[in-house]
Amino acid sequence: MNVAQKLISSHLVSGEMKAGEEIAISIDQTLTQDATGTMAYLEFEAMGIPKVKTKLSVSYVDHNTLQSGFENADDHRFLQTIASKYGVYFSRPGNGICHQLHTERFSRPGQTLLGSDSHTPNAGGAGMLAIGAGGLSVALAMAGEPFWLVMPEVVRVNLTGQFSTGVSAKDVILEVLRLLSVKGGVGKIIEYGGEGIKNLTVPERAAITNMGAELGATTSVFPSDEQTLAFLKAQQREADWAELKPDSDDEYDEIINIDLNKLEPLIATPSSPDNVKRVRDIEGSSVGQVCIGSCANSSFADLMSAANILKGKRVHPDVSLTISPGSRQAFQMITENGALTDLIAAGARVLECTCGPCIGMGQSPSNGVNSLRTFTRNFPGRSGTVNDQTYLCSPMTAAASAITGKITDPRDIITETVTVGLPEQYLIDDSMILSPSDEPDKVVVVRGPNIKPFPIKEPLEESLKLKIILKVGDNITTDDIMPAGAKILPLRSNIPAISEHVFEKVDASFPSRAKEEGGGVVLGGSNYGQGSSREHAALAPMFLGIKAVLAKSFARIHKDNLINFGIIPLEIEPDIYDAFDQDAGIEFPELAKEVRGSSVITFKDTNTGKTYSSEHGLTQRQRDVILSGGLLNYIKSK
Ligand code: MIC
Ligand code: SF4
């Protein structure tokens, strides 16, 4: 078996390990972050279970940290108290970004991790089967339920050679994105191997597996080897190591070869992570902002590689450079070794250890300027600026460009090669991770007025007559469906309020039209719902009465979230997509009956009278969930 299959087979509780079949796996660890966590814990609480049943569950606060009103701070207190009550570790705001922290302090090779954030595969860099999912799926895992998924194919990315100067892990994942595109990983696990991996440290591997999310992959994983051991030793967690290697090098559905010696600095251009070009091919364009940070690229080594380039130099007068360290560990270490002083001296604006500008929590770029970011996603408007021009690149490319004020190949700036490997010893201080209470009955969960109960859907209607409220194109992201950013994120615990922002950037009249029509249907192109795990992109449309999404294809996590909240995700052929216009009437005459007992769903264009049908492809479990009106109703009925 390969590494992915070993991880799955050791956790398989239902189904057969045949690509395309639905399987269920047991979950050892969970993680949540604050923007998805409030809902996840409300959902867990609704299940009436006194304590989480996982080996380890951790609640992080890293997204909603700009406190420009009481909402975020209230949510933090809710999260802290509910974690204490239900047996969950709580990482305090300021301690760092969930994925980097989890890999540093809790990753366990050979175990499974389910996280309510799409970049959970970060811990795949340490040999975990780490999967992103909606908050409700994570709540169920905390309740001891298995996680259901479609058994993926396993793609091997074979790495050979070594990085040359100026090239780093970010360039590997940008190359994979260039080769496979933002939908190339759907239904697949990306497993890395080959002699080239022996020189890659866990933080470098984590930068690669992290952004497997941008491929739409189920997850990405590296073997657990001597590098993994060295990392865990340096984190004083040697005892957590276990070896995990593939039995042979040819147990894969597909093989991709990348020669690290030939890899060059790459950059994703606006506004999709797979619009990848060589830095050389676009060098010279002016730059107004450079941001170094995010769960993909803010490890100690990443910060050091940027600091080494910026040392003794000045940030170009036209550039605003921000640095957000991924964890307090990395932050304290660059403080103690003087690299922070180099960054400050160069003119960097130092932010706290959070997601920050990556999710539009401040630092939105000025109009019309190019913003170079070491982040994960450059979807349109995600930075908080309409018509933004955001690029994704490595910390070295970012630092070089911050100095020149132009997109710059770091090889033109680096005068001497300083290799930043693993430190022998990381600085260990877990004092900002709070253990759950020994006396849970005495813990009072603090709920601010921003926390509203989550809405529950009725069981599926026997038939429906609706309107197509919105027709959109390919690759619609969850940032398009349910935008984030500093203004909207504080409403994550308040579904009625946040639902007023659904599709805001695509068509601001969507919420009012959906409500006027008493609900409706959304028509989408291919890869509908790519990007984040936010279940709000299903929950808020459900609140507005959206009953079905008809699309050419769906992204994995979003499809699960739609089902979890009782919205039918129906895959349709391109000619059906073409046949329907926005505002067309659509009728499902035998909806519940077909979901119950047929493999197809029939629907009629009420304007033309023409009838169509599409295979729904739902498993028995998914049919039951949809018939019940969503996963919570289904679990209660069980
Ligand atoms: C993201 O990078 O888009 C986020 C914000 O981390 C999301 C989670 C969320 O929307 O809360 C993700 O990646 O799942
Ligand atoms: Fe945070 Fe950005 Fe990572 Fe999402 S991608 S978890 S917003 S740093």
Side-chain angles (χ1 to χ4, degrees):
M1 284 193 281
N2 54 47
V3 168
Q5 288 164 341
K6 285 186 180 182
L7 283 160
I8 293 172
S9 80
S10 59
H11 291 84
L12 191 70
V13 292
S14 177
E16 240 189 286
M17 283 175 54
K18 268 208 242 142
E21 301 274 303
E22 199 182 32
I23 58 167
I25 55 170
S26 61
I27 297 299
D28 299 314
Q29 302 188 353
T30 62
L31 74 75
T32 56
Q33 42 88 340
D34 48 330
T36 54
T38 47
M39 275 298 139
Y41 293 104
L42 288 172
E43 288 152 358
F44 176 80
E45 194 179 35
M47 291 173 205
I49 291 164
K51 188 173 187 273
V52 291
K53 294 188 177 167
T54 44
K55 293 190 174 113
L56 175 83
S57 288
V58 191
S59 168
Y60 296 91
V61 177
D62 53 2
H63 282 64
N64 273 338
T65 52
L66 210 64
Q67 291 158 222
S68 56
F70 65 88
E71 292 87 351
N72 293 346
D74 269 13
D75 284 0
H76 301 169
R77 278 215 296 165
F78 166 75
L79 289 166
Q80 180 167 343
T81 47
I82 201 155
S84 181
K85 194 171 187 69
Y86 290 110
V88 177
Y89 286 81
F90 179 74
S91 172
R92 302 186 62 200
N95 197 35
I97 306 175
C98 56
H99 307 301
Q100 184 168 323
L101 272 171
H102 205 86
T103 300
E104 287 172 354
R105 302 307 302 142
F106 297 113
S107 57
R108 288 286 293 264
Q111 291 201 355
T112 53
L113 166 68
L114 195 72
S116 63
D117 191 284
S118 67
H119 291 104
T120 302
N122 190 292
M128 291 193 89
L129 188 76
I131 302 179
L136 183 49
S137 302
V138 176
L140 274 169
M142 291 194 282
E145 292 285 321
F147 177 62
W148 292 86
L149 72 160
V150 174
M151 176 66 198
E153 291 187 347
V154 185
V155 178
R156 156 97 162 210
V157 177
N158 211 28
L159 302 179
T160 52
Q162 290 200 47
F163 292 136
S164 40
T165 301
V167 180
S168 65
K170 182 67 154 226
D171 302 307
V172 175
I173 187 62
L174 288 174
E175 173 66 0
V176 181
L177 274 156
R178 190 183 70 80
L179 293 169
L180 293 182
S181 90
V182 289
K183 45 184 183 231
V186 177
K188 296 174 182 172
I189 291 184
I190 316 293
E191 179 172 324
Y192 291 83
E195 47 93 9
I197 69 167
K198 69 173 185 295
N199 297 313
L200 292 182
T201 63
V202 167
E204 289 176 308
R205 294 173 178 191
I208 296 170
T209 56
N210 177 298
M211 279 184 67
E214 275 53 69
L215 299 162
T218 303
T219 188
S220 302
V221 69
F222 272 82
S224 171
D225 56 10
E226 296 66 27
Q227 280 285 356
T228 325
L229 177 61
F231 175 75
L232 291 173
K233 251 189 195 162
Q235 292 283 355
Q236 286 180 16
R237 298 203 292 118
E238 197 178 341
D240 291 346
W241 185 69
E243 188 173 61
L244 187 61
K245 289 186 172 165
D247 292 328
S248 88
D249 284 350
D250 46 28
E251 313 262 341
Y252 299 90
D253 295 294
E254 195 182 326
I255 295 187
I256 293 171
N257 293 308
I258 297 178
D259 182 352
L260 300 179
N261 294 317
K262 293 201 185 130
L263 201 61
E264 291 193 47
L266 298 174
I267 187 161
T269 62
S271 290
S272 177
D274 60 357
N275 272 347
V276 176
K277 304 225 161 60
R278 290 189 326 146
V279 175
R280 272 277 177 260
D281 292 339
I282 58 160
E283 64 188 357
S285 310
S286 64
V287 172
Q289 185 188 46
V290 174
C291 301
I292 297 177
S294 95
C295 54
N297 279 117
S298 54
S299 66
F300 169 70
D302 278 334
L303 300 176
M304 287 306 298
S305 71
N308 288 339
I309 293 177
L310 285 154
K311 185 174 178 156
K313 306 265 177 27
R314 290 273 177 279
V315 172
H316 190 277
D318 295 341
V319 176
S320 166
L321 168 68
T322 70
I323 309 274
S324 17
S327 68
R328 209 166 55 102
Q329 179 182 75
F331 203 178
Q332 273 182 275
M333 286 172 69
I334 61 162
T335 310
E336 289 188 1
N337 73 8
L340 181 62
T341 310
D342 297 333
L343 292 168
I344 295 171
R349 301 170 67 179
V350 182
L351 310 176
E352 56 173 339
C353 315
T354 58
C355 304
C358 179
I359 191 56
M361 268 283 159
Q363 305 296 332
S364 300
S366 163
N367 268 309
V369 306
N370 291 328
S371 173
L372 258 58
R373 304 171 153 222
T374 67
F375 301 168
T376 56
R377 296 184 168 142
N378 58 344
F379 298 146
R382 180 173 159 102
S383 67
T385 299
V386 180
N387 296 326
D388 55 3
Q389 296 294 309
T390 55
Y391 294 72
L392 308 172
C393 63
S394 74
M396 284 191 274
T397 303
S401 307
I403 295 167
T404 61
K406 298 187 175 81
I407 295 181
T408 300
D409 189 316
R411 293 172 295 184
D412 297 342
I413 291 275
I414 299 173
T415 42
E416 72 180 304
T417 313
V418 189
T419 318
V420 193
L422 272 189
E424 210 158 287
Q425 189 59 64
Y426 283 100
L427 190 149
I428 311 297
D429 170 10
D430 289 332
S431 56
M432 287 196 41
I433 298 173
L434 308 181
S435 302
S437 171
D438 297 332
E439 295 180 298
D441 294 344
K442 294 199 180 139
V443 179
V444 178
V445 177
V446 181
R447 280 165 233 267
N450 187 44
I451 297 180
K452 297 277 185 284
F454 51 84
I456 301 273
K457 193 180 170 294
E458 294 298 313
L460 184 67
E461 295 79 356
E462 288 300 323
S463 65
L464 280 172
K465 210 167 168 184
L466 303 156
K467 231 182 183 181
I468 303 222
I469 306 285
L470 186 69
K471 180 174 180 175
V472 287
D474 292 343
N475 292 321
I476 284 295
T477 74
T478 54
D479 280 290
D480 295 321
I481 304 168
M482 187 71 263
K487 294 192 195 99
I488 303 177
L489 273 170
L491 305 175
R492 282 287 179 95
S493 315
N494 184 339
I495 300 303
I498 205 169
S499 66
E500 294 299 326
H501 300 275
V502 173
F503 279 118
E504 190 168 84
K505 283 184 276 177
V506 178
D507 179 346
S509 68
F510 180 88
S512 56
R513 289 191 298 113
K515 280 194 279 191
E516 258 163 46
E517 296 295 336
V521 169
V522 173
L523 185 57
S526 59
N527 201 24
Y528 181 86
Q530 68 157 331
S532 87
S533 71
R534 65 189 69 143
E535 61 189 1
H536 300 74
L539 192 45
M542 182 269 261
F543 180 80
L544 295 173
I546 298 304
K547 309 286 185 196
V549 178
L550 272 51
K552 291 183 201 166
S553 69
F554 290 89
R556 174 187 65 89
I557 308 180
H558 187 60
K559 183 176 179 183
D560 281 353
N561 282 336
L562 290 172
I563 295 171
N564 282 357
F565 292 103
I567 299 177
I568 298 175
L570 187 61
E571 271 188 33
I572 51 163
E573 293 298 327
D575 59 322
I576 301 183
Y577 174 86
D578 294 338
F580 280 92
D581 290 326
Q582 185 164 311
D583 291 332
I586 184 166
E587 188 180 352
F588 299 85
E590 307 220 79
L591 189 59
K593 193 170 151 214
E594 288 176 333
V595 170
R596 219 173 278 128
S598 164
S599 63
V600 298
I601 292 179
T602 313
F603 47 98
K604 190 163 113 188
D605 183 333
T606 55
N607 300 2
T608 64
K610 214 171 158 196
T611 299
Y612 305 86
S613 66
S614 290
E615 295 273 336
H616 56 63
L618 299 168
T619 64
Q620 189 55 51
R621 189 189 62 88
Q622 290 171 331
R623 291 172 189 229
D624 293 343
V625 169
I626 286 179
L627 287 165
S628 311
L631 190 54
L632 266 182
N633 291 350
Y634 167 74
I635 291 287
K636 277 189 191 148
S637 72
K638 273 209 325 179

